[in-house]
Amino acid sequence: MYCTRCGAPLEDDAKFCTSCGMPVGSGTDAPEESEPSQNEPPQKEAPGKKKTGRIVAGIVAGVVLVVGIGLLAAYAVRLSGENKRLTAQVEDAERTGDSALQTEGAESGPSESIAQSESVAQTESVPQTETVPQTESIPQTEAVLPADFTFSDDEWLRLSYAGAGLIQACQDQLPEGTVFDASSMDLSGYALDNAEGTDASAASASGLRLYGFKVEGNYAVTDAELMVNNGSGIYPDGLFRIWWQKDSSSLGYSAAQIQRLPQALPEIAAIEASSTLISYERADKYQVSNVADQDLSTAWVEGADGYGVGESLTLTFNGPQALHGLRIAGGYRKNQATYGENAKVTAYRLEFSDGTTMDVTMGSYPEDGHLGKSPIGVNGWETVLSTDGRDWNSIRPGLDFISFGREITTDYVKLTILEVAPGTVYEDTCITEISAY
């Protein structure tokens, strides 16, 4: 028999448990489960065994914890050493420029460590100033010009003379259409010391005639016609685009770039005249098409009474053309007799298909001649005759010319006679050649 409280074995006739003092056969504090068989001990574990189990379990858990912490610490030390090794390899590669070594280092070791090392290497190997060169073309110290910026008349007069001198100095480096870098050239070296208004020195100098202007960032961009003074007279010698930049020079600007613009001679599709003189020799002798045959021995002669003031001729082109001026061989250039005996036009009215109208007096060079605010008509020095044996192309630059001072896109040009210089014999006004540019 066993004690129902502590499970100690009892004598069959015992009244009390010799271990816990529990009365034998008492129902007080007895377990609710059925009494164990007298032949088998109860399945309940003794209190001493429970305490021992808990102690063993605690010891095992402690050992596992200590071992785990030790393993983690060892791994951390290994990981730190690996990162230091990779970082040292990458830094050595950056100093020596060995890209292969950088790649080798990036491919070894734990993936997380690799990502961290690569991030550091990329940040340190790419200088933070590498994005700056994109803005170096426009120095940061130069303010961007306002959209409504323009040159004053005095500024343009000075740049007109200096720019013309600069262009003439580098003509050989200005093939049509290409852009020439003029930033290293000293613009002030070509300036006139007394380029004020239109005094004698300024009027005799070559200059740029402004006909277009715009602002691009910190550049003032002008389209201009080069007017050359060769000692014998002034003549137009090409169209140019100049990029001006503010600086601290005596002129206040420098020419950063120069471009010679294309300048094609427009093809004349048809010519009409308000009247034509009828010749007894042949009907087509003085026909209007003579002004475009590049032959100094032929001319158009108006057919009205008197000197033909108010008569006109019209040049029509093959489609719209961007024009800047006209070149004219006035009078009848066949020989000395025809040139002196007939009248020559001294003033024209010009009309264009875009509605523009301008009156031009030949031989005049107004005060704003370099500014392009009004058309100018200049008498050239080439008054050669067909008997001199020179061809059209050789005399063309020195002919009388009219500069519009702007670009005019038009389908035609109509020239009306406003004034003439009378001839010594005939009341007939003649024009030998006309070409547009």
Side-chain angles (χ1 to χ4, degrees):
M1 166 170 90
Y2 296 90
C3 178
T4 58
R5 171 179 286 183
C6 64
L10 300 175
E11 295 294 336
D12 291 340
D13 58 350
K15 302 298 182 180
F16 296 94
C17 176
T18 58
S19 294
C20 65
M22 174 74 179
V24 176
S26 174
T28 307
D29 296 329
E32 293 182 352
E33 62 255 43
S34 61
E35 183 177 355
S37 168
Q38 293 182 2
N39 298 323
E40 294 182 5
Q43 298 302 311
K44 184 176 177 181
E45 186 176 55
K49 294 183 179 180
K50 289 178 64 176
K51 182 176 180 180
T52 302
R54 290 194 187 104
I55 293 174
V56 172
I59 292 172
V60 172
V63 171
V64 171
L65 180 61
V66 170
V67 172
I69 292 174
L71 291 174
L72 287 174
Y75 180 78
V77 170
R78 178 179 178 274
L79 183 60
S80 175
E82 183 68 13
N83 282 340
K84 289 181 180 180
R85 184 183 70 81
L86 290 175
T87 301
Q89 286 181 327
V90 171
E91 289 176 348
D92 289 341
E94 290 170 354
R95 286 193 295 270
T96 61
D98 190 347
S99 59
L101 183 57
Q102 294 180 37
T103 303
E104 178 183 353
E107 291 178 352
S108 62
S111 60
E112 183 177 358
S113 174
I114 292 173
Q116 293 174 356
S117 299
E118 285 183 337
S119 176
V120 172
Q122 291 174 4
T123 301
E124 293 178 352
S125 63
V126 180
Q128 296 304 309
T129 57
E130 282 192 356
T131 57
V132 172
Q134 296 180 6
T135 59
E136 285 183 352
S137 60
I138 300 179
Q140 297 303 304
T141 56
E142 296 186 7
V144 174
L145 298 177
D148 59 351
F149 172 83
T150 187
F151 292 120
S152 67
D153 286 357
D154 182 65
E155 284 179 322
W156 176 249
L157 280 172
R158 292 177 180 276
L159 294 178
S160 166
Y161 301 123
L166 177 61
I167 288 174
Q168 289 178 282
C170 59
Q171 282 274 30
D172 295 340
Q173 303 175 69
L174 286 170
E176 187 175 282
T178 60
V179 177
F180 172 69
D181 183 1
S183 58
S184 62
M185 303 185 73
D186 182 11
L187 182 68
S188 60
Y190 302 95
L192 293 181
D193 292 336
N194 60 343
E196 299 289 347
T198 55
D199 59 20
S201 297
S204 63
S206 300
L208 294 172
R209 189 148 204 257
L210 183 66
Y211 69 85
F213 182 90
K214 62 182 177 180
V215 173
E216 292 181 354
N218 65 333
Y219 294 107
V221 186
T222 60
D223 289 344
E225 183 176 8
L226 176 61
M227 297 293 182
V228 174
N229 189 324
N230 66 350
S232 299
I234 298 174
Y235 66 97
D237 192 29
L239 308 176
F240 297 86
R241 179 167 294 162
I242 306 99
W243 285 261
W244 306 95
Q245 198 168 29
K246 275 183 170 293
D247 62 18
S248 58
S249 67
S250 59
L251 290 174
Y253 297 88
S254 60
Q257 293 179 321
I258 303 174
Q259 181 183 26
R260 181 190 291 271
L261 300 177
Q263 187 177 2
L265 299 178
E267 181 181 350
I268 298 175
I271 309 176
E272 298 178 356
S274 57
S275 67
T276 300
L277 180 65
I278 302 300
S279 170
Y280 295 107
E281 297 179 21
R282 64 179 193 276
D284 63 350
K285 183 175 183 178
Y286 304 122
Q287 63 188 357
V288 72
S289 60
N290 290 343
V291 300
D293 62 2
Q294 299 181 5
D295 183 354
L296 297 182
S297 67
T298 65
W300 168 67
V301 182
E302 48 77 29
D305 293 338
Y307 288 104
V309 174
E311 295 303 298
S312 65
L313 57 84
T314 302
L315 311 178
T316 301
F317 308 107
N318 285 323
Q321 303 291 326
L323 305 183
H324 298 85
L326 300 171
R327 283 186 169 90
I328 302 174
Y332 194 173
R333 303 273 185 116
K334 182 177 181 179
N335 52 50
Q336 189 61 53
T338 58
Y339 189 69
E341 293 171 353
N342 292 280
K344 294 176 284 295
V345 181
T346 57
Y348 294 93
R349 172 165 294 158
L350 305 180
E351 299 174 66
F352 306 88
S353 64
D354 69 346
T356 301
T357 299
M358 57 180 67
D359 292 347
V360 185
T361 299
M362 302 305 298
S364 66
Y365 202 85
E367 291 184 358
D368 63 357
H370 290 287
L371 298 177
K373 293 182 178 179
S374 64
I376 57 174
V378 178
N379 289 330
W381 67 90
E382 291 286 16
T383 55
V384 298
L385 309 172
S386 64
T387 53
D388 293 339
R390 296 178 61 189
D391 63 17
W392 164 255
N393 289 327
S394 66
I395 68 169
R396 184 174 176 271
L399 294 175
D400 301 347
F401 70 90
I402 298 172
S403 172
F404 302 156
R406 72 195 78 169
E407 183 174 271
I408 299 177
T409 301
T410 182
D411 295 322
Y412 66 82
V413 179
K414 180 180 180 180
L415 298 88
T416 300
I417 300 171
L418 296 183
E419 297 178 11
V420 301
T424 60
V425 177
Y426 304 106
E427 291 186 347
D428 298 320
T429 300
C430 310
I431 300 176
T432 297
E433 287 291 331
I434 299 176
S435 68
Y437 68 89

